[in-house]
PDB file of all heavy atoms in Angstrom:
ATOM      1  N   PHE N  55       8.866  26.912  -4.025  1.00  0.00           N
ATOM      2  CA  PHE N  55       8.529  28.016  -3.126  1.00  0.00           C
ATOM      3  C   PHE N  55       9.739  28.949  -3.005  1.00  0.00           C
ATOM      4  O   PHE N  55      10.880  28.493  -3.122  1.00  0.00           O
ATOM      5  CB  PHE N  55       8.159  27.482  -1.735  1.00  0.00           C
ATOM      6  CG  PHE N  55       6.898  26.659  -1.700  1.00  0.00           C
ATOM      7  CD1 PHE N  55       6.763  25.617  -0.791  1.00  0.00           C
ATOM      8  CD2 PHE N  55       5.841  26.937  -2.558  1.00  0.00           C
ATOM      9  CE1 PHE N  55       5.597  24.850  -0.744  1.00  0.00           C
ATOM     10  CE2 PHE N  55       4.671  26.181  -2.514  1.00  0.00           C
ATOM     11  CZ  PHE N  55       4.556  25.133  -1.608  1.00  0.00           C
ATOM     12  N   PRO N  56       9.509  30.238  -2.740  1.00  0.00           N
ATOM     13  CA  PRO N  56      10.632  31.171  -2.578  1.00  0.00           C
ATOM     14  C   PRO N  56      11.355  30.948  -1.246  1.00  0.00           C
ATOM     15  O   PRO N  56      10.791  30.358  -0.324  1.00  0.00           O
ATOM     16  CB  PRO N  56       9.944  32.536  -2.591  1.00  0.00           C
ATOM     17  CG  PRO N  56       8.562  32.259  -2.095  1.00  0.00           C
ATOM     18  CD  PRO N  56       8.213  30.887  -2.564  1.00  0.00           C
ATOM     19  N   GLU N  61       9.361  36.212  -0.731  1.00  0.00           N
ATOM     20  CA  GLU N  61       7.982  36.018  -1.173  1.00  0.00           C
ATOM     21  C   GLU N  61       7.494  37.286  -1.872  1.00  0.00           C
ATOM     22  O   GLU N  61       7.817  38.401  -1.459  1.00  0.00           O
ATOM     23  CB  GLU N  61       7.043  35.731   0.005  1.00  0.00           C
ATOM     24  CG  GLU N  61       7.506  34.698   0.988  1.00  0.00           C
ATOM     25  CD  GLU N  61       8.288  35.311   2.136  1.00  0.00           C
ATOM     26  OE1 GLU N  61       9.374  35.842   1.884  1.00  0.00           O
ATOM     27  OE2 GLU N  61       7.803  35.254   3.262  1.00  0.00           O
ATOM     28  N   ALA N  63       3.851  38.962  -3.298  1.00  0.00           N
ATOM     29  CA  ALA N  63       2.377  38.855  -3.346  1.00  0.00           C
ATOM     30  C   ALA N  63       1.864  38.765  -4.780  1.00  0.00           C
ATOM     31  O   ALA N  63       0.754  38.302  -5.017  1.00  0.00           O
ATOM     32  CB  ALA N  63       1.746  40.066  -2.650  1.00  0.00           C
ATOM     33  N   ASP N  64       2.667  39.187  -5.747  1.00  0.00           N
ATOM     34  CA  ASP N  64       2.258  39.182  -7.150  1.00  0.00           C
ATOM     35  C   ASP N  64       2.638  37.890  -7.868  1.00  0.00           C
ATOM     36  O   ASP N  64       2.423  37.780  -9.077  1.00  0.00           O
ATOM     37  CB  ASP N  64       2.900  40.366  -7.899  1.00  0.00           C
ATOM     38  CG  ASP N  64       2.350  41.709  -7.439  1.00  0.00           C
ATOM     39  OD1 ASP N  64       1.183  41.755  -7.011  1.00  0.00           O
ATOM     40  OD2 ASP N  64       3.100  42.695  -7.504  1.00  0.00           O
ATOM     41  N   ILE N  66       1.963  33.999  -7.317  1.00  0.00           N
ATOM     42  CA  ILE N  66       1.367  32.900  -6.558  1.00  0.00           C
ATOM     43  C   ILE N  66       0.895  31.806  -7.518  1.00  0.00           C
ATOM     44  O   ILE N  66       0.842  32.015  -8.726  1.00  0.00           O
ATOM     45  CB  ILE N  66       0.174  33.381  -5.689  1.00  0.00           C
ATOM     46  CG1 ILE N  66      -0.956  33.958  -6.567  1.00  0.00           C
ATOM     47  CG2 ILE N  66       0.631  34.415  -4.674  1.00  0.00           C
ATOM     48  CD1 ILE N  66      -2.267  34.193  -5.819  1.00  0.00           C
ATOM     49  N   LYS N  70      -3.003  29.747  -4.217  1.00  0.00           N
ATOM     50  CA  LYS N  70      -2.737  31.050  -3.585  1.00  0.00           C
ATOM     51  C   LYS N  70      -1.462  31.029  -2.752  1.00  0.00           C
ATOM     52  O   LYS N  70      -1.252  31.876  -1.881  1.00  0.00           O
ATOM     53  CB  LYS N  70      -3.935  31.513  -2.750  1.00  0.00           C
ATOM     54  CG  LYS N  70      -5.130  31.869  -3.605  1.00  0.00           C
ATOM     55  CD  LYS N  70      -6.433  31.455  -2.946  1.00  0.00           C
ATOM     56  CE  LYS N  70      -7.564  31.507  -3.964  1.00  0.00           C
ATOM     57  NZ  LYS N  70      -8.722  30.741  -3.507  1.00  0.00           N
ATOM     58  N   THR N  72       2.660  31.392  -2.311  1.00  0.00           N
ATOM     59  CA  THR N  72       3.765  32.114  -2.946  1.00  0.00           C
ATOM     60  C   THR N  72       4.687  31.101  -3.631  1.00  0.00           C
ATOM     61  O   THR N  72       4.991  30.046  -3.070  1.00  0.00           O
ATOM     62  CB  THR N  72       4.566  32.928  -1.917  1.00  0.00           C
ATOM     63  OG1 THR N  72       4.836  32.094  -0.773  1.00  0.00           O
ATOM     64  CG2 THR N  72       3.804  34.151  -1.462  1.00  0.00           C
ATOM     65  N   ASP N  83      -2.987  36.237 -18.804  1.00  0.00           N
ATOM     66  CA  ASP N  83      -4.273  36.460 -18.140  1.00  0.00           C
ATOM     67  C   ASP N  83      -5.084  35.160 -18.071  1.00  0.00           C
ATOM     68  O   ASP N  83      -4.722  34.149 -18.666  1.00  0.00           O
ATOM     69  CB  ASP N  83      -5.045  37.577 -18.852  1.00  0.00           C
ATOM     70  CG  ASP N  83      -5.407  37.211 -20.282  1.00  0.00           C
ATOM     71  OD1 ASP N  83      -6.202  36.285 -20.478  1.00  0.00           O
ATOM     72  OD2 ASP N  83      -4.889  37.864 -21.217  1.00  0.00           O
ATOM     73  N   SER N  84      -6.200  35.230 -17.351  1.00  0.00           N
ATOM     74  CA  SER N  84      -7.008  34.028 -17.093  1.00  0.00           C
ATOM     75  C   SER N  84      -7.613  33.458 -18.365  1.00  0.00           C
ATOM     76  O   SER N  84      -7.705  32.236 -18.519  1.00  0.00           O
ATOM     77  CB  SER N  84      -8.120  34.358 -16.098  1.00  0.00           C
ATOM     78  OG  SER N  84      -7.552  34.779 -14.878  1.00  0.00           O
ATOM     79  N   ALA N  85      -8.039  34.318 -19.298  1.00  0.00           N
ATOM     80  CA  ALA N  85      -8.635  33.802 -20.539  1.00  0.00           C
ATOM     81  C   ALA N  85      -7.584  33.035 -21.338  1.00  0.00           C
ATOM     82  O   ALA N  85      -7.856  31.948 -21.864  1.00  0.00           O
ATOM     83  CB  ALA N  85      -9.220  34.941 -21.364  1.00  0.00           C
ATOM     84  N   ARG N  92      -8.341  24.595 -22.440  1.00  0.00           N
ATOM     85  CA  ARG N  92      -9.442  24.191 -23.315  1.00  0.00           C
ATOM     86  C   ARG N  92      -8.948  23.860 -24.718  1.00  0.00           C
ATOM     87  O   ARG N  92      -9.469  22.968 -25.379  1.00  0.00           O
ATOM     88  CB  ARG N  92     -10.487  25.303 -23.387  1.00  0.00           C
ATOM     89  CG  ARG N  92     -11.779  24.971 -22.697  1.00  0.00           C
ATOM     90  CD  ARG N  92     -12.815  26.033 -22.981  1.00  0.00           C
ATOM     91  NE  ARG N  92     -12.737  27.122 -22.017  1.00  0.00           N
ATOM     92  CZ  ARG N  92     -12.152  28.290 -22.210  1.00  0.00           C
ATOM     93  NH1 ARG N  92     -11.599  28.580 -23.359  1.00  0.00           N
ATOM     94  NH2 ARG N  92     -12.149  29.184 -21.264  1.00  0.00           N
ATOM     95  N   LYS N 116     -18.173  18.920  -4.997  1.00  0.00           N
ATOM     96  CA  LYS N 116     -19.340  19.274  -4.189  1.00  0.00           C
ATOM     97  C   LYS N 116     -19.872  18.072  -3.429  1.00  0.00           C
ATOM     98  O   LYS N 116     -20.062  16.997  -4.018  1.00  0.00           O
ATOM     99  CB  LYS N 116     -20.421  19.809  -5.129  1.00  0.00           C
ATOM    100  CG  LYS N 116     -21.681  20.249  -4.440  1.00  0.00           C
ATOM    101  CD  LYS N 116     -22.633  20.882  -5.447  1.00  0.00           C
ATOM    102  CE  LYS N 116     -23.872  21.398  -4.734  1.00  0.00           C
ATOM    103  NZ  LYS N 116     -24.798  22.061  -5.660  1.00  0.00           N
ATOM    104  N   LYS N 123     -17.466  25.080  -1.903  1.00  0.00           N
ATOM    105  CA  LYS N 123     -16.498  26.154  -2.162  1.00  0.00           C
ATOM    106  C   LYS N 123     -16.386  26.499  -3.634  1.00  0.00           C
ATOM    107  O   LYS N 123     -15.945  27.581  -3.981  1.00  0.00           O
ATOM    108  CB  LYS N 123     -15.136  25.752  -1.612  1.00  0.00           C
ATOM    109  CG  LYS N 123     -15.137  25.674  -0.084  1.00  0.00           C
ATOM    110  CD  LYS N 123     -13.750  25.650   0.484  1.00  0.00           C
ATOM    111  CE  LYS N 123     -13.783  25.879   1.991  1.00  0.00           C
ATOM    112  NZ  LYS N 123     -12.450  26.049   2.547  1.00  0.00           N
ATOM    113  N   MET N 125     -15.966  25.006  -8.007  1.00  0.00           N
ATOM    114  CA  MET N 125     -15.207  24.087  -8.850  1.00  0.00           C
ATOM    115  C   MET N 125     -13.879  24.673  -9.288  1.00  0.00           C
ATOM    116  O   MET N 125     -13.046  23.945  -9.817  1.00  0.00           O
ATOM    117  CB  MET N 125     -16.030  23.664 -10.067  1.00  0.00           C
ATOM    118  CG  MET N 125     -16.350  24.788 -11.050  1.00  0.00           C
ATOM    119  SD  MET N 125     -17.487  26.026 -10.386  1.00  0.00           S
ATOM    120  CE  MET N 125     -19.056  25.193 -10.550  1.00  0.00           C
ATOM    121  N   GLY N 126     -13.672  25.980  -9.062  1.00  0.00           N
ATOM    122  CA  GLY N 126     -12.451  26.602  -9.561  1.00  0.00           C
ATOM    123  C   GLY N 126     -12.273  26.280 -11.034  1.00  0.00           C
ATOM    124  O   GLY N 126     -13.214  26.403 -11.815  1.00  0.00           O
ATOM    125  N   ASP N 130     -13.252  23.074 -16.278  1.00  0.00           N
ATOM    126  CA  ASP N 130     -12.592  23.414 -17.541  1.00  0.00           C
ATOM    127  C   ASP N 130     -11.510  22.382 -17.855  1.00  0.00           C
ATOM    128  O   ASP N 130     -11.359  21.942 -18.997  1.00  0.00           O
ATOM    129  CB  ASP N 130     -11.942  24.797 -17.451  1.00  0.00           C
ATOM    130  CG  ASP N 130     -12.920  25.864 -17.006  1.00  0.00           C
ATOM    131  OD1 ASP N 130     -13.635  26.399 -17.850  1.00  0.00           O
ATOM    132  OD2 ASP N 130     -12.969  26.150 -15.788  1.00  0.00           O
ATOM    133  N   ALA N 133     -13.039  18.878 -18.781  1.00  0.00           N
ATOM    134  CA  ALA N 133     -13.838  18.874 -20.009  1.00  0.00           C
ATOM    135  C   ALA N 133     -12.958  18.910 -21.249  1.00  0.00           C
ATOM    136  O   ALA N 133     -13.411  18.588 -22.341  1.00  0.00           O
ATOM    137  CB  ALA N 133     -14.779  20.077 -20.021  1.00  0.00           C
TER     138      ALA N 133
ATOM    139  N   SER A  30      -4.523  38.384  -4.751  1.00  0.00           N
ATOM    140  CA  SER A  30      -3.478  38.891  -5.642  1.00  0.00           C
ATOM    141  C   SER A  30      -4.093  39.661  -6.814  1.00  0.00           C
ATOM    142  O   SER A  30      -4.923  39.131  -7.543  1.00  0.00           O
ATOM    143  CB  SER A  30      -2.660  37.705  -6.167  1.00  0.00           C
ATOM    144  OG  SER A  30      -1.542  38.164  -6.883  1.00  0.00           O
ATOM    145  N   SER A  77     -15.880  31.420  -9.069  1.00  0.00           N
ATOM    146  CA  SER A  77     -15.573  30.004  -9.311  1.00  0.00           C
ATOM    147  C   SER A  77     -15.165  29.294  -8.029  1.00  0.00           C
ATOM    148  O   SER A  77     -15.279  28.072  -7.922  1.00  0.00           O
ATOM    149  CB  SER A  77     -14.475  29.847 -10.371  1.00  0.00           C
ATOM    150  OG  SER A  77     -13.187  29.909  -9.816  1.00  0.00           O
ATOM    151  N   TYR A  78     -14.662  30.054  -7.061  1.00  0.00           N
ATOM    152  CA  TYR A  78     -14.200  29.417  -5.821  1.00  0.00           C
ATOM    153  C   TYR A  78     -14.317  30.418  -4.676  1.00  0.00           C
ATOM    154  O   TYR A  78     -13.799  31.527  -4.752  1.00  0.00           O
ATOM    155  CB  TYR A  78     -12.752  28.944  -5.966  1.00  0.00           C
ATOM    156  CG  TYR A  78     -12.316  28.012  -4.872  1.00  0.00           C
ATOM    157  CD1 TYR A  78     -12.564  26.643  -4.948  1.00  0.00           C
ATOM    158  CD2 TYR A  78     -11.678  28.497  -3.728  1.00  0.00           C
ATOM    159  CE1 TYR A  78     -12.194  25.793  -3.939  1.00  0.00           C
ATOM    160  CE2 TYR A  78     -11.304  27.643  -2.708  1.00  0.00           C
ATOM    161  CZ  TYR A  78     -11.560  26.284  -2.821  1.00  0.00           C
ATOM    162  OH  TYR A  78     -11.180  25.431  -1.805  1.00  0.00           O
ATOM    163  N   VAL A  79     -14.998  30.008  -3.629  1.00  0.00           N
ATOM    164  CA  VAL A  79     -15.264  30.911  -2.506  1.00  0.00           C
ATOM    165  C   VAL A  79     -14.982  30.187  -1.191  1.00  0.00           C
ATOM    166  O   VAL A  79     -14.544  29.042  -1.192  1.00  0.00           O
ATOM    167  CB  VAL A  79     -16.734  31.369  -2.524  1.00  0.00           C
ATOM    168  CG1 VAL A  79     -17.031  32.204  -3.746  1.00  0.00           C
ATOM    169  CG2 VAL A  79     -17.671  30.165  -2.462  1.00  0.00           C
ATOM    170  N   GLN A 101     -14.003  28.344 -13.708  1.00  0.00           N
ATOM    171  CA  GLN A 101     -13.088  29.485 -13.766  1.00  0.00           C
ATOM    172  C   GLN A 101     -12.825  29.965 -15.207  1.00  0.00           C
ATOM    173  O   GLN A 101     -12.781  31.165 -15.471  1.00  0.00           O
ATOM    174  CB  GLN A 101     -11.768  29.080 -13.116  1.00  0.00           C
ATOM    175  CG  GLN A 101     -10.888  30.237 -12.762  1.00  0.00           C
ATOM    176  CD  GLN A 101      -9.657  29.791 -12.012  1.00  0.00           C
ATOM    177  OE1 GLN A 101      -8.558  30.058 -12.430  1.00  0.00           O
ATOM    178  NE2 GLN A 101      -9.825  29.083 -10.913  1.00  0.00           N
ATOM    179  N   GLY A 102     -12.658  29.022 -16.117  1.00  0.00           N
ATOM    180  CA  GLY A 102     -12.413  29.389 -17.511  1.00  0.00           C
ATOM    181  C   GLY A 102     -13.641  30.017 -18.144  1.00  0.00           C
ATOM    182  O   GLY A 102     -13.537  30.903 -19.004  1.00  0.00           O
ATOM    183  N   GLU A 127     -24.329  19.812 -13.156  1.00  0.00           N
ATOM    184  CA  GLU A 127     -25.440  20.700 -12.780  1.00  0.00           C
ATOM    185  C   GLU A 127     -25.227  22.137 -13.275  1.00  0.00           C
ATOM    186  O   GLU A 127     -26.183  22.909 -13.358  1.00  0.00           O
ATOM    187  CB  GLU A 127     -25.650  20.673 -11.266  1.00  0.00           C
ATOM    188  CG  GLU A 127     -24.483  21.159 -10.456  1.00  0.00           C
ATOM    189  CD  GLU A 127     -24.768  21.054  -8.950  1.00  0.00           C
ATOM    190  OE1 GLU A 127     -25.201  19.980  -8.504  1.00  0.00           O
ATOM    191  OE2 GLU A 127     -24.543  22.055  -8.257  1.00  0.00           O
ATOM    192  N   LYS A 140     -18.492  16.461 -30.079  1.00  0.00           N
ATOM    193  CA  LYS A 140     -18.311  16.796 -28.671  1.00  0.00           C
ATOM    194  C   LYS A 140     -19.376  17.806 -28.247  1.00  0.00           C
ATOM    195  O   LYS A 140     -19.766  18.666 -29.039  1.00  0.00           O
ATOM    196  CB  LYS A 140     -16.904  17.380 -28.466  1.00  0.00           C
ATOM    197  CG  LYS A 140     -16.565  17.672 -27.021  1.00  0.00           C
ATOM    198  CD  LYS A 140     -15.081  17.925 -26.809  1.00  0.00           C
ATOM    199  CE  LYS A 140     -14.877  18.436 -25.388  1.00  0.00           C
ATOM    200  NZ  LYS A 140     -13.648  18.066 -24.794  1.00  0.00           N
ATOM    201  N   LYS A 169       1.664  42.899 -13.474  1.00  0.00           N
ATOM    202  CA  LYS A 169       2.854  42.233 -12.949  1.00  0.00           C
ATOM    203  C   LYS A 169       2.519  40.837 -12.431  1.00  0.00           C
ATOM    204  O   LYS A 169       1.547  40.656 -11.689  1.00  0.00           O
ATOM    205  CB  LYS A 169       3.444  43.074 -11.802  1.00  0.00           C
ATOM    206  CG  LYS A 169       4.728  42.520 -11.218  1.00  0.00           C
ATOM    207  CD  LYS A 169       5.434  43.547 -10.350  1.00  0.00           C
ATOM    208  CE  LYS A 169       6.559  42.892  -9.572  1.00  0.00           C
ATOM    209  NZ  LYS A 169       6.187  42.646  -8.175  1.00  0.00           N
ATOM    210  N   THR A 171       1.459  37.098 -11.532  1.00  0.00           N
ATOM    211  CA  THR A 171       0.124  36.492 -11.570  1.00  0.00           C
ATOM    212  C   THR A 171      -0.944  37.429 -11.005  1.00  0.00           C
ATOM    213  O   THR A 171      -2.104  37.039 -10.883  1.00  0.00           O
ATOM    214  CB  THR A 171       0.099  35.159 -10.799  1.00  0.00           C
ATOM    215  OG1 THR A 171       0.600  35.403  -9.482  1.00  0.00           O
ATOM    216  CG2 THR A 171       0.941  34.104 -11.475  1.00  0.00           C
ATOM    217  N   ASN A 174      -3.989  37.978 -13.869  1.00  0.00           N
ATOM    218  CA  ASN A 174      -5.195  37.115 -13.823  1.00  0.00           C
ATOM    219  C   ASN A 174      -6.407  37.642 -14.616  1.00  0.00           C
ATOM    220  O   ASN A 174      -6.321  37.785 -15.819  1.00  0.00           O
ATOM    221  CB  ASN A 174      -5.527  36.718 -12.376  1.00  0.00           C
ATOM    222  CG  ASN A 174      -5.715  37.891 -11.428  1.00  0.00           C
ATOM    223  OD1 ASN A 174      -6.618  38.685 -11.592  1.00  0.00           O
ATOM    224  ND2 ASN A 174      -4.832  37.975 -10.421  1.00  0.00           N
ATOM    225  N   ASN A 178      -8.946  40.754 -18.784  1.00  0.00           N
ATOM    226  CA  ASN A 178     -10.175  40.248 -19.394  1.00  0.00           C
ATOM    227  C   ASN A 178     -11.387  41.094 -19.024  1.00  0.00           C
ATOM    228  O   ASN A 178     -12.400  41.082 -19.718  1.00  0.00           O
ATOM    229  CB  ASN A 178     -10.425  38.795 -18.984  1.00  0.00           C
ATOM    230  CG  ASN A 178      -9.236  37.899 -19.247  1.00  0.00           C
ATOM    231  OD1 ASN A 178      -8.806  37.149 -18.371  1.00  0.00           O
ATOM    232  ND2 ASN A 178      -8.683  37.987 -20.430  1.00  0.00           N
ATOM    233  N   LYS A 222      -1.283  44.685  -0.526  1.00  0.00           N
ATOM    234  CA  LYS A 222      -0.828  43.478  -1.231  1.00  0.00           C
ATOM    235  C   LYS A 222      -0.602  42.314  -0.267  1.00  0.00           C
ATOM    236  O   LYS A 222       0.481  41.763  -0.165  1.00  0.00           O
ATOM    237  CB  LYS A 222       0.437  43.791  -2.031  1.00  0.00           C
ATOM    238  CG  LYS A 222       0.162  44.787  -3.147  1.00  0.00           C
ATOM    239  CD  LYS A 222       1.386  45.191  -3.930  1.00  0.00           C
ATOM    240  CE  LYS A 222       1.907  44.085  -4.784  1.00  0.00           C
ATOM    241  NZ  LYS A 222       2.913  44.581  -5.748  1.00  0.00           N
ATOM    242  N   GLN A 226      -1.387  32.790   1.297  1.00  0.00           N
ATOM    243  CA  GLN A 226      -0.710  31.554   1.743  1.00  0.00           C
ATOM    244  C   GLN A 226       0.804  31.772   1.596  1.00  0.00           C
ATOM    245  O   GLN A 226       1.332  31.636   0.500  1.00  0.00           O
ATOM    246  CB  GLN A 226      -1.117  30.364   0.874  1.00  0.00           C
ATOM    247  CG  GLN A 226      -2.596  30.077   0.818  1.00  0.00           C
ATOM    248  CD  GLN A 226      -3.090  29.353   2.049  1.00  0.00           C
ATOM    249  OE1 GLN A 226      -2.311  28.800   2.826  1.00  0.00           O
ATOM    250  NE2 GLN A 226      -4.389  29.354   2.246  1.00  0.00           N
ATOM    251  N   ARG A 227       1.444  32.121   2.682  1.00  0.00           N
ATOM    252  CA  ARG A 227       2.888  32.382   2.608  1.00  0.00           C
ATOM    253  C   ARG A 227       3.626  31.045   2.686  1.00  0.00           C
ATOM    254  O   ARG A 227       3.658  30.413   3.724  1.00  0.00           O
ATOM    255  CB  ARG A 227       3.298  33.301   3.755  1.00  0.00           C
ATOM    256  CG  ARG A 227       4.746  33.773   3.706  1.00  0.00           C
ATOM    257  CD  ARG A 227       5.043  34.698   4.878  1.00  0.00           C
ATOM    258  NE  ARG A 227       4.201  35.892   4.853  1.00  0.00           N
ATOM    259  CZ  ARG A 227       4.490  36.995   4.165  1.00  0.00           C
ATOM    260  NH1 ARG A 227       5.595  37.060   3.465  1.00  0.00           N
ATOM    261  NH2 ARG A 227       3.672  38.030   4.201  1.00  0.00           N
ATOM    262  N   THR A 228       4.166  30.599   1.566  1.00  0.00           N
ATOM    263  CA  THR A 228       4.897  29.333   1.540  1.00  0.00           C
ATOM    264  C   THR A 228       6.340  29.621   1.153  1.00  0.00           C
ATOM    265  O   THR A 228       6.598  30.352   0.190  1.00  0.00           O
ATOM    266  CB  THR A 228       4.275  28.353   0.525  1.00  0.00           C
ATOM    267  OG1 THR A 228       3.981  29.046  -0.681  1.00  0.00           O
ATOM    268  CG2 THR A 228       2.994  27.746   1.064  1.00  0.00           C
ATOM    269  N   VAL A 229       7.277  29.053   1.895  1.00  0.00           N
ATOM    270  CA  VAL A 229       8.706  29.286   1.646  1.00  0.00           C
ATOM    271  C   VAL A 229       9.467  27.975   1.736  1.00  0.00           C
ATOM    272  O   VAL A 229       8.943  26.967   2.210  1.00  0.00           O
ATOM    273  CB  VAL A 229       9.308  30.281   2.671  1.00  0.00           C
ATOM    274  CG1 VAL A 229       8.688  31.657   2.528  1.00  0.00           C
ATOM    275  CG2 VAL A 229       9.149  29.764   4.091  1.00  0.00           C
ATOM    276  N   ARG A 230      10.700  27.978   1.231  1.00  0.00           N
ATOM    277  CA  ARG A 230      11.587  26.829   1.441  1.00  0.00           C
ATOM    278  C   ARG A 230      12.814  27.326   2.185  1.00  0.00           C
ATOM    279  O   ARG A 230      13.147  28.524   2.143  1.00  0.00           O
ATOM    280  CB  ARG A 230      11.945  26.177   0.103  1.00  0.00           C
ATOM    281  CG  ARG A 230      12.925  26.977  -0.727  1.00  0.00           C
ATOM    282  CD  ARG A 230      13.071  26.411  -2.123  1.00  0.00           C
ATOM    283  NE  ARG A 230      13.116  27.505  -3.067  1.00  0.00           N
ATOM    284  CZ  ARG A 230      14.051  27.645  -4.006  1.00  0.00           C
ATOM    285  NH1 ARG A 230      14.997  26.743  -4.143  1.00  0.00           N
ATOM    286  NH2 ARG A 230      14.046  28.677  -4.807  1.00  0.00           N
TER     287      ARG A 230
END
Side-chain angles (χ1 to χ4, degrees):
Chain N
F55 294 148
E61 313 92 294
D64 292 331
I66 62 168
K70 291 143 194 162
T72 47
D83 64 66
S84 299
R92 250 188 272 100
K116 181 175 183 178
K123 293 196 168 188
M125 66 292 282
D130 306 275
Chain A
S30 188
S77 87
Y78 193 85
V79 295
Q101 196 175 123
E127 62 182 50
K140 184 166 171 148
K169 183 166 169 258
T171 54
N174 56 64
N178 307 130
K222 295 177 70 168
Q226 303 282 344
R227 186 179 299 274
T228 44
V229 295
R230 74 189 139 129

